[in-house]
Amino acid sequence: GGNSELAARIASYELAYRMQMAVPETMRLDGETAATQSLYGLDNKTTRPFGQQCLLARRFVERGVRFVQLYHNGWDAHSKLIANHSSKIGQTDQPIAGLLTDLKSRGLLDDTLVLWGTEFGRTPVGQGSDGRDHNPHAMTFFLAGAGVKSGIAYGSTDDHGYYSTENRVHFHDLHATILHLFGLDHKRLTYQYAGRDFRLTDIYGEVIHDILT
């Protein structure tokens, strides 16, 4: 019989080689049309850095990469809120719109789930003279693409924007819904840790069917 450990090691090396050979072409953006580069804001120094990330995300998706994660840091505006958020929105708004538009035009949005999110919301009251504190009670996420209804808003806050009120969605519910869109039942997705079974949504989580097509 064969040596399974050796075979596995060889397979991992071969996979690494194929990835190394594929990455240089994938990372080259000069082959994209001027219209596509402009769609993502690559012709503007303000939007270019994040636009490049979003364009690379589309190139990864069309080459079969299953999970792509983008980061845009520096939103934690405990001071200088207006200047901070105005700057960050200016850097990200066009590239994100470009990514969604491009995915849709190529038919990739039909089976690609796009999730935009944050670690916290912001309080409705000021912090200091020109900031906002963390608010874990209400925040905004958007989902687009595979299996998600378009053009709807789900849930609302109180009149001050401090607490979630109508159609409250816990993180466990969000995770359960994402897993459902991946074709996975979160109640059956368990793993062994410290001698017992755990699942990603612990003992909670309900799929939010109202946002699904």
Side-chain angles (χ1 to χ4, degrees), residues 187-202:
K187 295 180 180 179
R188 300 179 62 189
L189 187 64
T190 61
Y191 60 96
Q192 278 277 327
Y193 179 73
R196 55 173 289 211
D197 285 337
F198 285 82
R199 74 182 200 216
L200 295 179
T201 52
D202 198 14

Side-chain angles (χ1 to χ4, degrees), residues 6-16 18:
L6 177 61
R9 179 64 60 89
I10 292 173
S12 69
Y13 287 158
E14 291 177 342
L15 174 60
R18 292 196 301 273

Side-chain angles (χ1 to χ4, degrees), residues 45-57:
K45 66 179 182 180
T46 298
T47 50
R48 185 183 302 121
F50 193 66
Q52 289 175 330
Q53 288 192 54
C54 289
L55 181 49
L56 283 171

Side-chain angles (χ1 to χ4, degrees), residues 10-200:
I10 292 173
S12 69
Y13 287 158
E14 291 177 342
L15 174 60
Y17 171 78
R18 292 196 301 273
M19 291 172 66
Q20 287 178 322
M21 292 300 99
V23 164
E25 185 278 330
T26 301
M27 298 294 289
R28 292 191 60 176
L29 304 181
D30 52 5
E32 297 286 346
T33 65
T36 297
Q37 295 192 40
S38 179
L39 177 68
Y40 285 86
L42 269 61
D43 53 356
N44 183 317
K45 66 179 182 180
T46 298
T47 50
R48 185 183 302 121
F50 193 66
Q52 289 175 330
Q53 288 192 54
C54 289
L55 181 49
L56 283 171
R58 190 220 78 206
R59 290 174 65 85
F60 279 31
V61 167
E62 66 185 349
R63 284 160 175 77
V65 177
R66 293 184 178 184
F67 295 93
V68 182
Q69 189 166 12
L70 307 181
Y71 289 96
H72 191 272
N73 297 321
W75 293 80
D76 203 11
H78 294 277
S79 62
K80 300 180 180 178
L81 179 77
I82 294 177
N84 175 282
H85 279 26
S86 297
S87 172
K88 299 303 178 185
I89 291 168
Q91 295 166 20
T92 60
D93 193 48
Q94 180 183 346
I96 292 171
L99 174 61
L100 293 172
T101 300
D102 202 13
L103 288 172
K104 184 175 181 179
S105 70
R106 296 168 185 268
L108 295 170
L109 199 58
D110 294 339
D111 56 6
T112 301
L113 175 66
V114 179
L115 169 68
W116 178 97
T118 176
E119 62 172 347
F120 280 109
R122 310 303 297 195
T123 55
V125 295
Q127 181 183 24
S129 60
D130 59 353
R132 296 275 176 88
D133 204 354
H134 296 166
N135 181 17
H137 304 294
M139 63 197 76
T140 299
F141 281 72
F142 82 67
L143 283 74
V148 178
K149 290 180 182 176
S150 61
I152 67 165
Y154 185 81
S156 60
T157 65
D158 59 28
D159 291 341
H160 302 288
Y162 200 100
Y163 291 102
S164 299
T165 53
E166 182 184 14
N167 294 329
R168 297 177 68 185
V169 177
H170 192 275
F171 279 117
H172 291 310
D173 301 328
L174 178 63
H175 292 160
T177 304
I178 293 170
L179 291 169
H180 174 79
L181 289 167
F182 291 166
L184 299 171
D185 182 349
H186 73 105
K187 295 180 180 179
R188 300 179 62 189
L189 187 64
T190 61
Y191 60 96
Q192 278 277 327
Y193 179 73
R196 55 173 289 211
D197 285 337
F198 285 82
R199 74 182 200 216
L200 295 179

